[in-house]
Short mmCIF file of all heavy atoms in Angstrom, two decimals:
data_model
loop_
_atom_site.label_atom_id
_atom_site.label_comp_id
_atom_site.label_asym_id
_atom_site.label_seq_id
_atom_site.Cartn_x
_atom_site.Cartn_y
_atom_site.Cartn_z
N LEU A 211 8.12 -6.44 -11.14
CA LEU A 211 7.34 -6.04 -9.97
C LEU A 211 8.25 -5.58 -8.84
O LEU A 211 7.96 -4.60 -8.14
CB LEU A 211 6.45 -7.20 -9.51
CG LEU A 211 5.56 -6.91 -8.29
CD1 LEU A 211 4.65 -5.71 -8.54
CD2 LEU A 211 4.73 -8.14 -7.94
N SER A 212 9.34 -6.28 -8.63
CA SER A 212 10.29 -5.89 -7.59
C SER A 212 10.84 -4.50 -7.84
O SER A 212 10.93 -3.66 -6.93
CB SER A 212 11.45 -6.91 -7.52
OG SER A 212 12.40 -6.53 -6.55
N LEU A 213 11.19 -4.19 -9.08
CA LEU A 213 11.70 -2.86 -9.41
C LEU A 213 10.65 -1.80 -9.14
O LEU A 213 10.97 -0.69 -8.69
CB LEU A 213 12.12 -2.82 -10.88
CG LEU A 213 13.37 -3.63 -11.26
CD1 LEU A 213 13.55 -3.67 -12.76
CD2 LEU A 213 14.61 -3.04 -10.59
N LEU A 214 9.39 -2.12 -9.40
CA LEU A 214 8.31 -1.16 -9.21
C LEU A 214 8.11 -0.82 -7.74
O LEU A 214 8.03 0.35 -7.36
CB LEU A 214 7.01 -1.70 -9.81
CG LEU A 214 5.78 -0.81 -9.66
CD1 LEU A 214 5.97 0.50 -10.42
CD2 LEU A 214 4.54 -1.53 -10.15
N VAL A 215 8.03 -1.83 -6.86
CA VAL A 215 7.68 -1.55 -5.47
C VAL A 215 8.88 -1.16 -4.61
O VAL A 215 8.69 -0.63 -3.50
CB VAL A 215 6.95 -2.75 -4.82
CG1 VAL A 215 5.65 -3.04 -5.56
CG2 VAL A 215 7.82 -3.99 -4.78
N TRP A 216 10.09 -1.39 -5.09
CA TRP A 216 11.28 -1.03 -4.32
C TRP A 216 11.92 0.27 -4.79
O TRP A 216 12.84 0.78 -4.15
CB TRP A 216 12.33 -2.14 -4.40
CG TRP A 216 12.13 -3.26 -3.42
CD1 TRP A 216 11.58 -4.49 -3.68
CD2 TRP A 216 12.46 -3.26 -2.03
NE1 TRP A 216 11.56 -5.26 -2.54
CE2 TRP A 216 12.09 -4.53 -1.50
CE3 TRP A 216 13.03 -2.33 -1.18
CZ2 TRP A 216 12.28 -4.87 -0.18
CZ3 TRP A 216 13.22 -2.67 0.16
CH2 TRP A 216 12.84 -3.94 0.64
N GLY A 217 11.48 0.82 -5.90
CA GLY A 217 12.17 1.95 -6.51
C GLY A 217 12.13 3.23 -5.68
O GLY A 217 11.12 3.56 -5.06
N ARG A 218 13.23 3.96 -5.69
CA ARG A 218 13.32 5.31 -5.12
C ARG A 218 14.11 6.18 -6.09
O ARG A 218 15.33 6.21 -6.05
CB ARG A 218 14.00 5.29 -3.75
CG ARG A 218 13.13 4.80 -2.61
CD ARG A 218 13.82 5.05 -1.27
NE ARG A 218 12.94 4.72 -0.15
CZ ARG A 218 12.95 3.55 0.49
NH1 ARG A 218 13.78 2.60 0.10
NH2 ARG A 218 12.13 3.32 1.49
N ASP A 219 13.41 6.84 -6.95
CA ASP A 219 14.05 7.71 -7.94
C ASP A 219 13.08 8.85 -8.21
O ASP A 219 12.12 8.69 -8.95
CB ASP A 219 14.35 6.92 -9.22
CG ASP A 219 15.18 7.71 -10.22
OD1 ASP A 219 15.24 8.96 -10.11
OD2 ASP A 219 15.76 7.09 -11.14
N PHE A 220 13.33 10.00 -7.58
CA PHE A 220 12.40 11.11 -7.65
C PHE A 220 12.80 12.16 -8.68
O PHE A 220 12.22 13.24 -8.73
CB PHE A 220 12.27 11.76 -6.26
CG PHE A 220 11.82 10.80 -5.20
CD1 PHE A 220 12.71 10.29 -4.27
CD2 PHE A 220 10.50 10.37 -5.14
CE1 PHE A 220 12.30 9.39 -3.30
CE2 PHE A 220 10.08 9.47 -4.18
CZ PHE A 220 10.98 8.99 -3.25
N ARG A 221 13.77 11.83 -9.52
CA ARG A 221 14.20 12.78 -10.54
C ARG A 221 13.06 13.11 -11.50
O ARG A 221 12.26 12.24 -11.86
CB ARG A 221 15.38 12.21 -11.33
CG ARG A 221 16.67 12.03 -10.55
CD ARG A 221 17.74 11.36 -11.41
NE ARG A 221 17.33 10.05 -11.87
CZ ARG A 221 17.18 9.70 -13.14
NH1 ARG A 221 17.42 10.57 -14.11
NH2 ARG A 221 16.79 8.47 -13.47
N GLN A 222 13.02 14.36 -11.97
CA GLN A 222 11.99 14.75 -12.92
C GLN A 222 12.08 13.92 -14.20
O GLN A 222 11.06 13.52 -14.78
CB GLN A 222 12.12 16.24 -13.25
CG GLN A 222 10.96 16.80 -14.06
CD GLN A 222 9.66 16.84 -13.28
OE1 GLN A 222 9.64 17.27 -12.14
NE2 GLN A 222 8.57 16.38 -13.89
N GLU A 223 13.31 13.64 -14.64
CA GLU A 223 13.49 12.86 -15.87
C GLU A 223 12.90 11.46 -15.72
O GLU A 223 12.34 10.91 -16.67
CB GLU A 223 14.98 12.75 -16.22
CG GLU A 223 15.65 14.08 -16.53
CD GLU A 223 16.15 14.81 -15.30
OE1 GLU A 223 15.87 14.35 -14.17
OE2 GLU A 223 16.84 15.84 -15.47
N ASN A 224 13.03 10.90 -14.52
CA ASN A 224 12.52 9.55 -14.30
C ASN A 224 10.99 9.51 -14.32
O ASN A 224 10.39 8.66 -14.97
CB ASN A 224 13.03 9.01 -12.96
CG ASN A 224 12.74 7.54 -12.78
OD1 ASN A 224 13.28 6.71 -13.50
ND2 ASN A 224 11.89 7.20 -11.82
N VAL A 225 10.37 10.44 -13.60
CA VAL A 225 8.91 10.43 -13.54
C VAL A 225 8.30 10.82 -14.88
O VAL A 225 7.22 10.33 -15.25
CB VAL A 225 8.41 11.34 -12.38
CG1 VAL A 225 8.57 12.81 -12.71
CG2 VAL A 225 6.97 11.02 -12.02
N ASP A 226 8.95 11.69 -15.64
CA ASP A 226 8.46 12.04 -16.97
C ASP A 226 8.49 10.82 -17.89
O ASP A 226 7.55 10.57 -18.66
CB ASP A 226 9.30 13.16 -17.57
CG ASP A 226 9.02 14.52 -16.95
OD1 ASP A 226 7.97 14.67 -16.28
OD2 ASP A 226 9.84 15.44 -17.13
N ALA A 227 9.56 10.05 -17.80
CA ALA A 227 9.66 8.84 -18.61
C ALA A 227 8.60 7.83 -18.20
O ALA A 227 7.96 7.19 -19.05
CB ALA A 227 11.06 8.23 -18.49
N PHE A 228 8.38 7.69 -16.88
CA PHE A 228 7.38 6.75 -16.41
C PHE A 228 5.98 7.17 -16.84
O PHE A 228 5.12 6.32 -17.11
CB PHE A 228 7.44 6.62 -14.89
CG PHE A 228 6.60 5.51 -14.33
CD1 PHE A 228 6.96 4.19 -14.50
CD2 PHE A 228 5.42 5.79 -13.64
CE1 PHE A 228 6.18 3.16 -14.00
CE2 PHE A 228 4.64 4.77 -13.13
CZ PHE A 228 5.01 3.45 -13.31
N ALA A 229 5.72 8.46 -16.92
CA ALA A 229 4.42 8.95 -17.38
C ALA A 229 4.15 8.48 -18.80
O ALA A 229 3.04 8.01 -19.12
CB ALA A 229 4.37 10.47 -17.29
N VAL A 230 5.13 8.58 -19.66
CA VAL A 230 4.96 8.13 -21.04
C VAL A 230 4.76 6.62 -21.07
O VAL A 230 3.88 6.10 -21.77
CB VAL A 230 6.20 8.52 -21.88
CG1 VAL A 230 6.11 7.89 -23.27
CG2 VAL A 230 6.31 10.04 -21.98
N GLN A 231 5.54 5.89 -20.30
CA GLN A 231 5.51 4.43 -20.33
C GLN A 231 4.25 3.86 -19.70
O GLN A 231 3.76 2.80 -20.11
CB GLN A 231 6.75 3.88 -19.63
CG GLN A 231 8.05 4.21 -20.35
CD GLN A 231 9.26 4.20 -19.44
OE1 GLN A 231 9.22 3.64 -18.33
NE2 GLN A 231 10.35 4.82 -19.87
N SER A 232 3.70 4.53 -18.69
CA SER A 232 2.54 4.02 -17.97
C SER A 232 1.22 4.55 -18.52
O SER A 232 0.15 4.01 -18.22
CB SER A 232 2.63 4.37 -16.48
OG SER A 232 2.54 5.78 -16.30
N GLY A 233 1.27 5.62 -19.30
CA GLY A 233 0.05 6.23 -19.82
C GLY A 233 -0.68 7.08 -18.80
O GLY A 233 -1.85 7.42 -19.01
N ALA A 234 -0.03 7.44 -17.71
CA ALA A 234 -0.63 8.29 -16.68
C ALA A 234 0.13 9.62 -16.63
O ALA A 234 1.23 9.74 -17.16
CB ALA A 234 -0.61 7.62 -15.32
N GLU A 235 -0.49 10.62 -15.99
CA GLU A 235 0.13 11.93 -15.90
C GLU A 235 0.62 12.25 -14.49
O GLU A 235 1.58 12.99 -14.31
CB GLU A 235 -0.86 13.01 -16.34
CG GLU A 235 -1.31 12.88 -17.80
CD GLU A 235 -2.35 13.91 -18.17
OE1 GLU A 235 -2.45 14.94 -17.47
OE2 GLU A 235 -3.08 13.70 -19.14
N LEU A 236 -0.07 11.70 -13.48
CA LEU A 236 0.24 12.01 -12.09
C LEU A 236 0.33 10.73 -11.28
O LEU A 236 -0.35 9.74 -11.60
CB LEU A 236 -0.84 12.92 -11.49
CG LEU A 236 -1.02 14.29 -12.15
CD1 LEU A 236 -2.29 14.94 -11.64
CD2 LEU A 236 0.19 15.18 -11.92
N PHE A 237 1.11 10.77 -10.18
CA PHE A 237 1.34 9.56 -9.39
C PHE A 237 1.25 9.87 -7.90
O PHE A 237 1.78 10.88 -7.42
CB PHE A 237 2.71 8.98 -9.72
CG PHE A 237 2.91 8.75 -11.19
CD1 PHE A 237 3.56 9.69 -11.97
CD2 PHE A 237 2.39 7.62 -11.80
CE1 PHE A 237 3.71 9.51 -13.34
CE2 PHE A 237 2.53 7.42 -13.16
CZ PHE A 237 3.20 8.37 -13.94
N ILE A 238 0.57 8.98 -7.19
CA ILE A 238 0.48 9.05 -5.73
C ILE A 238 1.14 7.79 -5.20
O ILE A 238 0.72 6.67 -5.54
CB ILE A 238 -0.98 9.14 -5.27
CG1 ILE A 238 -1.68 10.33 -5.93
CG2 ILE A 238 -1.06 9.24 -3.74
CD1 ILE A 238 -3.20 10.27 -5.83
N THR A 239 2.16 7.95 -4.38
CA THR A 239 2.94 6.80 -3.92
C THR A 239 3.16 6.87 -2.41
O THR A 239 2.83 7.85 -1.75
CB THR A 239 4.31 6.74 -4.62
OG1 THR A 239 5.07 7.91 -4.27
CG2 THR A 239 4.15 6.67 -6.13
N GLY A 240 3.74 5.82 -1.88
CA GLY A 240 4.19 5.75 -0.50
C GLY A 240 5.68 5.44 -0.51
O GLY A 240 6.44 6.03 -1.26
N HIS A 241 6.10 4.52 0.36
CA HIS A 241 7.43 3.92 0.35
C HIS A 241 8.52 4.78 0.95
O HIS A 241 9.48 4.27 1.54
CB HIS A 241 7.81 3.50 -1.08
CG HIS A 241 9.04 2.65 -1.19
ND1 HIS A 241 9.26 1.56 -0.38
CD2 HIS A 241 10.12 2.74 -2.01
CE1 HIS A 241 10.42 1.01 -0.72
NE2 HIS A 241 10.96 1.71 -1.69
N GLU A 242 8.45 6.10 0.81
CA GLU A 242 9.52 6.98 1.28
C GLU A 242 9.13 7.68 2.57
O GLU A 242 8.06 8.32 2.64
CB GLU A 242 9.83 8.02 0.20
CG GLU A 242 10.94 8.98 0.57
CD GLU A 242 12.33 8.36 0.54
OE1 GLU A 242 12.47 7.22 0.05
OE2 GLU A 242 13.28 9.02 1.00
N PRO A 243 9.94 7.60 3.61
CA PRO A 243 9.64 8.35 4.84
C PRO A 243 9.61 9.85 4.56
O PRO A 243 10.48 10.39 3.88
CB PRO A 243 10.81 7.99 5.76
CG PRO A 243 11.37 6.72 5.21
CD PRO A 243 11.16 6.79 3.73
N CYS A 244 8.57 10.52 5.06
CA CYS A 244 8.43 11.97 4.89
C CYS A 244 8.30 12.61 6.27
O CYS A 244 7.40 12.24 7.03
CB CYS A 244 7.19 12.31 4.06
SG CYS A 244 7.18 11.62 2.40
#
Side-chain angles (χ1 to χ4, degrees):
L211 181 57
S212 178
L213 290 171
L214 179 64
V215 299
W216 277 101
R218 283 190 174 96
D219 188 342
F220 302 104
R221 293 176 300 118
Q222 189 68 45
E223 297 85 353
N224 190 66
V225 73
D226 286 343
F228 189 72
V230 173
Q231 294 156 18
S232 66
E235 298 176 21
L236 299 169
F237 306 96
I238 304 164
T239 63
H241 190 47
E242 180 73 10
C244 300

